[in-house]
Amino acid sequence: LICRLVPRDVYQASCCGKMFCKSCLDSLKRRSNSIICPNCHKDLTNNFFKDVNINKKIRNLYIYCTNQKKSCRWEGPLRHINEHLSKCLLQTVECRNSCGQRLDRNNLKEHLLSTCPRRIVSCVYCQKEDEYQIICGDRHYKKCT
């Protein structure tokens, strides 16, 4: 329930000074009307505040890309990770054609052009354009030949 990761949006409990992610506190709040501090077990309802100073320090922490195991060499402050991941060639993304395929961004172009079953192609017989899986399916092929 409490993630134990480096908090991104830090709130501090007034009762014991323990820091929690805002999303973790929201999760606790959704489970019951009152929030009990996971650290000291006191009532936390309206008894926590956003810790701006710690948030600033955490956002300046120097980190590596989450795709480091896939050989991404990016490193920089935590505050820039979302910008990097939006461009990182080793980030796993979903196919834009909603075929359900998940692949690294550097393989997306090839997938969209060659292997995506929902890519748009033209029938060699009637020149109709539609998704690959429709044009190459038995139904269209029988109608067209």
Side-chain angles (χ1 to χ4, degrees), residues 86-141:
S86 72
K87 300 172 193 164
C88 180
L89 296 177
L90 297 170
Q91 179 69 9
T92 302
V93 294
E94 290 188 20
C95 173
R96 285 185 234 142
N97 292 338
S98 302
C99 75
Q101 183 76 25
R102 293 179 50 80
L103 56 155
D104 290 351
R105 185 175 279 114
N106 61 349
N107 296 323
L108 182 60
K109 185 176 181 180
E110 178 66 23
H111 170 75
L112 292 171
L113 293 173
S114 304
T115 60
C116 179
R118 300 195 76 188
R119 68 187 182 277
I120 303 299
V121 296
S122 296
C123 175
V124 293
Y125 302 107
C126 70
Q127 307 309 312
K128 178 183 177 188
E129 285 191 349
D130 209 332
E131 291 180 3
Y132 174 84
Q133 59 192 5
I134 293 172
I135 294 295
C136 295
D138 287 342
R139 190 179 208 183
H140 176 79
Y141 184 74

Coordinates of all heavy atoms in Angstrom, one line a residue, residues 86-141:
S86 N 10.2 10.1 -22.9 CA 9.3 10.4 -24.0 C 10.0 10.3 -25.4 O 9.4 10.2 -26.4 CB 8.6 11.8 -23.9 OG 9.6 12.8 -24.1
K87 N 11.4 10.3 -25.3 CA 12.2 10.2 -26.5 C 13.1 8.9 -26.5 O 13.7 8.6 -27.5 CB 13.1 11.4 -26.6 CG 12.3 12.7 -26.8 CD 13.3 13.9 -26.7 CE 12.5 15.2 -26.5 NZ 13.3 16.3 -26.0
C88 N 13.3 8.3 -25.4 CA 14.3 7.2 -25.2 C 13.9 6.1 -26.2 O 12.8 5.6 -26.2 CB 14.3 6.7 -23.8 SG 15.4 5.3 -23.5
L89 N 14.9 5.7 -27.0 CA 14.7 4.7 -28.0 C 14.5 3.3 -27.4 O 14.0 2.4 -28.1 CB 15.9 4.7 -29.0 CG 16.0 5.9 -29.9 CD1 17.2 5.8 -30.8 CD2 14.8 6.2 -30.7
L90 N 14.9 3.1 -26.2 CA 14.8 1.8 -25.5 C 13.5 1.7 -24.6 O 13.3 0.7 -24.0 CB 16.0 1.5 -24.7 CG 17.3 1.4 -25.6 CD1 18.5 1.3 -24.8 CD2 17.2 0.2 -26.6
Q91 N 12.7 2.8 -24.6 CA 11.5 2.8 -23.8 C 10.5 1.9 -24.5 O 10.3 2.0 -25.7 CB 11.0 4.2 -23.7 CG 9.7 4.3 -22.9 CD 9.8 4.1 -21.4 OE1 10.9 3.9 -20.9 NE2 8.7 3.9 -20.7
T92 N 9.8 1.1 -23.7 CA 8.7 0.2 -24.3 C 7.5 1.1 -24.5 O 7.1 1.9 -23.6 CB 8.4 -0.9 -23.3 OG1 9.6 -1.7 -23.1 CG2 7.3 -1.8 -23.8
V93 N 7.0 1.0 -25.7 CA 5.8 1.8 -26.1 C 4.8 0.8 -26.7 O 5.1 -0.3 -27.2 CB 6.1 2.9 -27.1 CG1 7.0 3.9 -26.5 CG2 6.8 2.3 -28.4
E94 N 3.5 1.3 -26.8 CA 2.5 0.5 -27.5 C 2.4 1.0 -29.0 O 2.6 2.1 -29.3 CB 1.1 0.7 -26.8 CG 1.1 0.1 -25.5 CD -0.3 0.1 -24.8 OE1 -1.3 0.2 -25.6 OE2 -0.4 -0.1 -23.6
C95 N 2.0 0.0 -29.8 CA 1.9 0.3 -31.2 C 0.8 1.4 -31.4 O -0.3 1.4 -30.7 CB 1.4 -0.9 -32.0 SG 1.0 -0.6 -33.7
R96 N 1.1 2.4 -32.2 CA 0.1 3.5 -32.4 C -1.2 3.0 -33.1 O -2.2 3.7 -33.1 CB 0.8 4.6 -33.3 CG 1.7 5.4 -32.6 CD 2.2 6.5 -33.4 NE 3.7 6.5 -33.4 CZ 4.5 6.7 -34.5 NH1 4.0 7.0 -35.6 NH2 5.8 6.6 -34.3
N97 N -1.1 1.9 -33.8 CA -2.3 1.4 -34.5 C -3.2 0.5 -33.6 O -4.1 -0.1 -34.1 CB -1.8 0.5 -35.7 CG -1.2 1.3 -36.8 OD1 -1.4 2.5 -36.9 ND2 -0.4 0.7 -37.6
S98 N -2.9 0.5 -32.3 CA -3.6 -0.3 -31.3 C -3.8 -1.8 -31.7 O -4.8 -2.4 -31.5 CB -5.1 0.3 -31.2 OG -5.0 1.7 -30.8
C99 N -2.7 -2.4 -32.1 CA -2.7 -3.8 -32.4 C -2.4 -4.6 -31.2 O -2.5 -5.8 -31.2 CB -1.7 -4.1 -33.5 SG 0.1 -4.1 -33.0
G100 N -2.0 -3.9 -30.1 CA -1.7 -4.6 -28.8 C -0.2 -4.9 -28.6 O 0.2 -5.3 -27.6
Q101 N 0.6 -4.7 -29.7 CA 2.0 -5.0 -29.6 C 2.7 -3.9 -28.7 O 2.5 -2.7 -28.8 CB 2.7 -5.0 -31.0 CG 4.1 -5.3 -31.0 CD 4.4 -6.8 -30.8 OE1 3.5 -7.7 -31.1 NE2 5.5 -7.2 -30.4
R102 N 3.6 -4.4 -27.8 CA 4.5 -3.5 -27.0 C 5.9 -3.8 -27.4 O 6.3 -4.9 -27.4 CB 4.2 -3.7 -25.5 CG 2.8 -3.4 -25.1 CD 2.6 -3.6 -23.6 NE 3.6 -3.1 -22.7 CZ 3.7 -1.8 -22.3 NH1 2.8 -0.9 -22.7 NH2 4.6 -1.5 -21.5
L103 N 6.6 -2.7 -27.8 CA 8.0 -2.9 -28.2 C 8.8 -1.7 -27.9 O 8.3 -0.6 -27.6 CB 8.0 -3.2 -29.7 CG 7.3 -2.2 -30.7 CD1 7.9 -2.3 -32.0 CD2 5.8 -2.6 -30.8
D104 N 10.1 -1.8 -28.0 CA 11.0 -0.6 -27.8 C 10.8 0.4 -28.9 O 10.5 0.0 -30.1 CB 12.5 -1.1 -27.8 CG 12.8 -1.9 -26.6 OD1 12.0 -1.9 -25.6 OD2 14.0 -2.4 -26.5
R105 N 10.8 1.7 -28.6 CA 10.6 2.7 -29.5 C 11.5 2.6 -30.8 O 11.0 2.9 -31.9 CB 10.8 4.1 -28.8 CG 10.5 5.3 -29.7 CD 10.6 6.6 -29.0 NE 9.4 6.8 -28.2 CZ 9.3 6.9 -26.8 NH1 10.4 6.7 -26.2 NH2 8.2 7.1 -26.2
N106 N 12.7 2.1 -30.6 CA 13.6 2.0 -31.8 C 13.1 0.9 -32.7 O 13.6 0.9 -33.9 CB 15.0 1.8 -31.3 CG 15.2 0.5 -30.6 OD1 14.3 -0.1 -30.1 ND2 16.5 0.1 -30.4
N107 N 12.2 0.1 -32.4 CA 11.6 -0.9 -33.3 C 10.2 -0.6 -33.8 O 9.7 -1.3 -34.6 CB 11.5 -2.3 -32.5 CG 12.9 -2.8 -32.2 OD1 13.9 -2.7 -32.9 ND2 13.0 -3.4 -31.0
L108 N 9.7 0.6 -33.3 CA 8.3 0.9 -33.7 C 8.2 1.2 -35.2 O 7.2 0.7 -35.8 CB 7.9 2.2 -32.9 CG 6.5 2.6 -33.1 CD1 5.5 1.5 -32.8 CD2 6.2 3.9 -32.3
K109 N 9.1 1.9 -35.8 CA 9.0 2.3 -37.2 C 8.9 1.0 -38.1 O 8.0 0.9 -39.0 CB 10.1 3.2 -37.6 CG 10.0 3.7 -39.1 CD 11.1 4.7 -39.4 CE 11.0 5.2 -40.8 NZ 12.1 6.1 -41.1
E110 N 9.8 0.1 -37.8 CA 9.8 -1.1 -38.6 C 8.5 -1.9 -38.4 O 8.0 -2.5 -39.3 CB 11.0 -2.0 -38.2 CG 11.1 -3.3 -38.9 CD 11.4 -3.2 -40.4 OE1 11.9 -2.2 -40.8 OE2 11.0 -4.2 -41.1
H111 N 8.1 -2.0 -37.2 CA 6.8 -2.6 -36.9 C 5.6 -2.0 -37.7 O 4.9 -2.7 -38.3 CB 6.5 -2.6 -35.4 CG 5.2 -3.0 -35.0 ND1 4.8 -4.4 -35.0 CD2 4.0 -2.3 -34.6 CE1 3.5 -4.5 -34.6 NE2 3.1 -3.3 -34.4
L112 N 5.5 -0.7 -37.6 CA 4.5 0.0 -38.3 C 4.5 -0.2 -39.8 O 3.5 -0.3 -40.5 CB 4.5 1.5 -38.0 CG 4.2 1.9 -36.5 CD1 4.5 3.4 -36.3 CD2 2.7 1.6 -36.2
L113 N 5.7 -0.3 -40.4 CA 5.9 -0.5 -41.8 C 5.7 -1.9 -42.3 O 5.3 -2.2 -43.4 CB 7.2 0.1 -42.3 CG 7.4 1.6 -42.2 CD1 8.8 2.0 -42.5 CD2 6.4 2.3 -43.1
S114 N 6.2 -2.9 -41.5 CA 6.3 -4.2 -41.9 C 5.5 -5.3 -41.2 O 5.1 -6.3 -41.9 CB 7.8 -4.7 -41.9 OG 8.6 -3.8 -42.6
T115 N 5.3 -5.2 -40.0 CA 4.7 -6.4 -39.3 C 3.4 -6.1 -38.5 O 2.8 -7.1 -38.1 CB 5.7 -7.0 -38.2 OG1 6.1 -5.9 -37.3 CG2 7.0 -7.4 -38.9
C116 N 3.0 -4.9 -38.4 CA 1.8 -4.6 -37.7 C 0.6 -5.1 -38.5 O 0.4 -4.7 -39.7 CB 1.6 -3.1 -37.5 SG 0.1 -2.6 -36.6
P117 N -0.3 -5.9 -37.9 CA -1.4 -6.4 -38.6 C -2.5 -5.4 -38.9 O -3.3 -5.6 -39.7 CB -2.0 -7.5 -37.6 CG -1.4 -7.1 -36.3 CD -0.1 -6.4 -36.5
R118 N -2.3 -4.2 -38.3 CA -3.3 -3.1 -38.5 C -2.7 -2.0 -39.4 O -3.3 -0.9 -39.5 CB -3.8 -2.6 -37.1 CG -4.4 -3.7 -36.3 CD -5.2 -3.2 -35.2 NE -6.4 -2.6 -35.7 CZ -7.3 -2.0 -34.9 NH1 -7.0 -1.8 -33.7 NH2 -8.4 -1.5 -35.4
R119 N -1.5 -2.2 -40.0 CA -1.0 -1.2 -40.9 C -1.8 -1.1 -42.1 O -2.5 -2.1 -42.5 CB 0.5 -1.5 -41.2 CG 0.7 -2.8 -42.1 CD 2.1 -3.1 -42.2 NE 2.4 -4.3 -43.1 CZ 2.3 -5.5 -42.7 NH1 1.9 -5.8 -41.5 NH2 2.5 -6.5 -43.6
I120 N -1.8 0.1 -42.7 CA -2.6 0.3 -43.9 C -1.8 -0.2 -45.2 O -0.7 0.2 -45.3 CB -3.0 1.8 -44.1 CG1 -3.8 2.3 -42.8 CG2 -3.8 2.0 -45.3 CD1 -5.1 1.5 -42.5
V121 N -2.5 -1.0 -46.0 CA -1.9 -1.5 -47.2 C -2.9 -1.4 -48.3 O -4.1 -1.2 -48.1 CB -1.4 -2.9 -47.1 CG1 -0.3 -3.1 -46.0 CG2 -2.5 -3.9 -46.7
S122 N -2.4 -1.5 -49.6 CA -3.3 -1.5 -50.7 C -3.4 -2.9 -51.3 O -2.4 -3.6 -51.4 CB -2.8 -0.6 -51.8 OG -2.8 0.8 -51.4
C123 N -4.6 -3.3 -51.7 CA -4.8 -4.6 -52.3 C -4.1 -4.5 -53.7 O -4.3 -3.6 -54.5 CB -6.3 -4.9 -52.5 SG -6.6 -6.4 -53.4
V124 N -3.4 -5.6 -54.1 CA -2.7 -5.6 -55.3 C -3.7 -5.8 -56.5 O -3.3 -5.5 -57.7 CB -1.6 -6.7 -55.4 CG1 -0.5 -6.4 -54.4 CG2 -2.2 -8.1 -55.1
Y125 N -4.9 -6.2 -56.2 CA -5.9 -6.5 -57.3 C -6.8 -5.3 -57.5 O -7.0 -4.8 -58.6 CB -6.7 -7.7 -57.0 CG -5.8 -9.0 -56.9 CD1 -5.6 -9.5 -55.6 CD2 -5.2 -9.5 -58.0 CE1 -4.7 -10.6 -55.5 CE2 -4.4 -10.6 -57.9 CZ -4.2 -11.2 -56.6 OH -3.4 -12.3 -56.5
C126 N -7.4 -4.8 -56.4 CA -8.4 -3.7 -56.6 C -7.9 -2.4 -56.1 O -8.6 -1.4 -56.2 CB -9.7 -4.1 -55.8 SG -9.5 -4.1 -54.0
Q127 N -6.7 -2.3 -55.5 CA -6.1 -1.0 -55.0 C -6.8 -0.5 -53.8 O -6.5 0.7 -53.4 CB -6.0 0.0 -56.1 CG -5.3 -0.4 -57.4 CD -4.0 -1.1 -57.1 OE1 -3.2 -0.5 -56.4 NE2 -3.7 -2.2 -57.7
K128 N -7.8 -1.2 -53.2 CA -8.5 -0.7 -52.0 C -7.5 -0.6 -50.9 O -6.6 -1.5 -50.7 CB -9.6 -1.7 -51.7 CG -10.3 -1.2 -50.4 CD -11.4 -2.2 -50.0 CE -12.0 -1.7 -48.7 NZ -12.9 -2.6 -48.1
E129 N -7.6 0.4 -50.1 CA -6.7 0.5 -48.9 C -7.5 0.2 -47.6 O -8.6 0.6 -47.5 CB -6.2 2.0 -48.8 CG -5.1 2.3 -49.8 CD -4.4 3.6 -49.5 OE1 -4.8 4.4 -48.6 OE2 -3.3 3.8 -50.1
D130 N -6.8 -0.6 -46.8 CA -7.4 -1.0 -45.5 C -6.3 -1.6 -44.7 O -5.2 -1.7 -45.1 CB -8.6 -1.9 -45.7 CG -9.6 -1.8 -44.6 OD1 -9.2 -1.4 -43.5 OD2 -10.8 -2.1 -44.8
E131 N -6.7 -2.1 -43.5 CA -5.7 -2.7 -42.6 C -5.2 -4.0 -43.3 O -5.9 -4.7 -43.9 CB -6.3 -3.0 -41.3 CG -6.7 -1.8 -40.4 CD -7.3 -2.2 -39.1 OE1 -7.4 -3.4 -38.8 OE2 -7.6 -1.3 -38.4
Y132 N -3.9 -4.3 -43.0 CA -3.3 -5.5 -43.6 C -4.1 -6.7 -43.3 O -4.3 -7.5 -44.2 CB -1.9 -5.6 -43.0 CG -1.2 -6.9 -43.4 CD1 -0.5 -7.0 -44.6 CD2 -1.2 -8.0 -42.5 CE1 0.1 -8.1 -44.9 CE2 -0.6 -9.2 -42.9 CZ 0.1 -9.2 -44.1 OH 0.7 -10.4 -44.4
Q133 N -4.6 -6.9 -42.1 CA -5.3 -8.1 -41.7 C -6.6 -8.2 -42.5 O -7.1 -9.3 -42.7 CB -5.5 -8.2 -40.2 CG -6.3 -7.0 -39.6 CD -6.3 -6.9 -38.1 OE1 -5.6 -7.7 -37.4 NE2 -7.0 -6.0 -37.5
I134 N -7.2 -7.1 -42.9 CA -8.4 -7.2 -43.7 C -8.1 -7.4 -45.2 O -8.7 -8.3 -45.8 CB -9.2 -5.8 -43.5 CG1 -9.7 -5.8 -42.1 CG2 -10.4 -5.8 -44.5 CD1 -10.4 -4.4 -41.7
I135 N -7.2 -6.7 -45.7 CA -6.8 -6.8 -47.1 C -6.3 -8.2 -47.4 O -6.6 -8.8 -48.4 CB -5.8 -5.8 -47.6 CG1 -6.4 -4.4 -47.5 CG2 -5.2 -6.1 -48.9 CD1 -7.5 -4.1 -48.5
C136 N -5.5 -8.8 -46.5 CA -4.9 -10.1 -46.7 C -5.8 -11.2 -46.2 O -5.4 -12.4 -46.3 CB -3.5 -10.2 -46.1 SG -2.4 -9.0 -46.9
G137 N -6.9 -10.9 -45.6 CA -7.8 -11.9 -45.1 C -8.6 -12.6 -46.2 O -8.8 -12.1 -47.3
D138 N -9.1 -13.8 -45.9 CA -9.8 -14.6 -46.9 C -11.0 -13.9 -47.5 O -11.3 -14.0 -48.7 CB -10.3 -16.0 -46.3 CG -9.1 -16.9 -46.1 OD1 -8.1 -16.7 -46.7 OD2 -9.3 -17.9 -45.3
R139 N -11.7 -13.2 -46.6 CA -13.0 -12.5 -47.1 C -12.7 -11.6 -48.2 O -13.4 -11.6 -49.2 CB -13.6 -11.8 -45.9 CG -14.9 -11.3 -46.1 CD -15.4 -10.7 -44.8 NE -16.8 -10.7 -44.7 CZ -17.5 -10.2 -43.7 NH1 -16.8 -9.6 -42.7 NH2 -18.8 -10.3 -43.6
H140 N -11.7 -10.7 -48.0 CA -11.4 -9.7 -49.1 C -10.8 -10.4 -50.3 O -11.2 -10.1 -51.4 CB -10.4 -8.6 -48.6 CG -10.1 -7.7 -49.6 ND1 -10.9 -6.6 -50.0 CD2 -8.9 -7.6 -50.4 CE1 -10.3 -6.0 -51.0 NE2 -9.1 -6.6 -51.3
Y141 N -9.9 -11.3 -50.1 CA -9.3 -12.0 -51.2 C -10.3 -12.7 -52.1 O -10.2 -12.7 -53.3 CB -8.2 -13.0 -50.6 CG -7.4 -13.7 -51.6 CD1 -6.4 -13.0 -52.3 CD2 -7.7 -15.1 -51.9 CE1 -5.7 -13.7 -53.3 CE2 -6.9 -15.7 -52.9 CZ -5.9 -15.0 -53.6 OH -5.2 -15.6 -54.6

